């Protein structure tokens, strides 16, 4: 079995799923895809934003009263990420592939490294929207993954599946 870990920024579109599968169509071994969707931590995001603004002393104690709202926000974020993972896995399965997926609240590269180690991944594919500034400074997921993993890492830009009229 040839294990490929996919780190996706958003749901795999049908064209993206086809493109990924086409990359492995001539593999002698069966391929298994592991879709990983990073999931934002709502509470950490709010706390980091408040700290970055230098206003933690003004809003910090008030954050405790917002725990219920943050928990609800996190539940919505998790639900969307699980749906993204599930729909991406289903697109690969619809193409006759073996696939599984999940979400992670860890930093994306930490989650990727852990997943590659756990499933003994032989290849990584990272699908993102273009991030020109991060890529220029080599701070993007792909460059980071290449520094941390000893497997081939391919970066694909996600296909924009929106109709031209809505762009």
């Amino acid at each position: 079995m040839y294990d490929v870990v996919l780190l996706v920024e958003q749901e795999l579109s049908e064209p993206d799923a086809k493109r990924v599968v086409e990359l492995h169509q001539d593999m002698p071994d069966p391929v298994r895809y592991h879709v990983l969707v990073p999931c934002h931590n709502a509470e950490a995001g709010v706390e980091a934003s408040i700290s970055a603004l230098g206003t933690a002393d003004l809003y910090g104690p008030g954050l405790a009263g917002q725990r219920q709202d943050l928990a609800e926000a996190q539940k919505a974020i998790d639900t969307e990420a699980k749906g993204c993972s599930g729909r991406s896995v289903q697109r690969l399965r619809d193409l006759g592939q073996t696939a599984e997926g999940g979400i992670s609240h860890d930093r994306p590269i930490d989650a990727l490294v852990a997943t590659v180690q756990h499933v003994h991944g032989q290849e990584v594919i990272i699908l993102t929207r273009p991030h020109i500034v991060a890529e220029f400074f080599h701070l993007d997921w792909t460059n980071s993954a290449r520094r941390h993993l000893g497997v081939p890492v391919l970066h694909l830009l996600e296909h924009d599946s929106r109709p031209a009229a809505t762009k």
Side-chain angles (χ1 to χ4, degrees), residues 44-124:
V46 169
E47 289 176 351
S49 296
I50 289 172
S51 294
L53 293 172
T55 57
D57 53 335
L58 297 175
Y59 295 105
L63 190 59
Q66 302 298 320
R67 298 279 185 231
Q68 182 62 32
D69 292 340
L70 288 172
E72 289 175 19
Q74 188 66 56
K75 184 176 178 182
I77 290 167
D78 289 354
T79 299
E80 177 56 32
K82 288 175 185 173
C84 171
S85 174
R87 290 183 298 271
S88 297
V89 165
Q90 191 57 51
R91 286 214 170 88
L92 292 166
R93 289 179 179 167
D94 288 347
L95 295 170
Q97 303 303 305
T98 302
E100 59 186 36
I103 67 170
S104 175
H105 294 98
D106 295 335
R107 288 183 40 231
I109 295 304
D110 293 343
L112 177 64
V113 168
T115 301
V116 168
Q117 291 172 348
H118 177 73
V119 303
H120 305 289
Q122 290 108 325
E123 181 180 332
V124 169

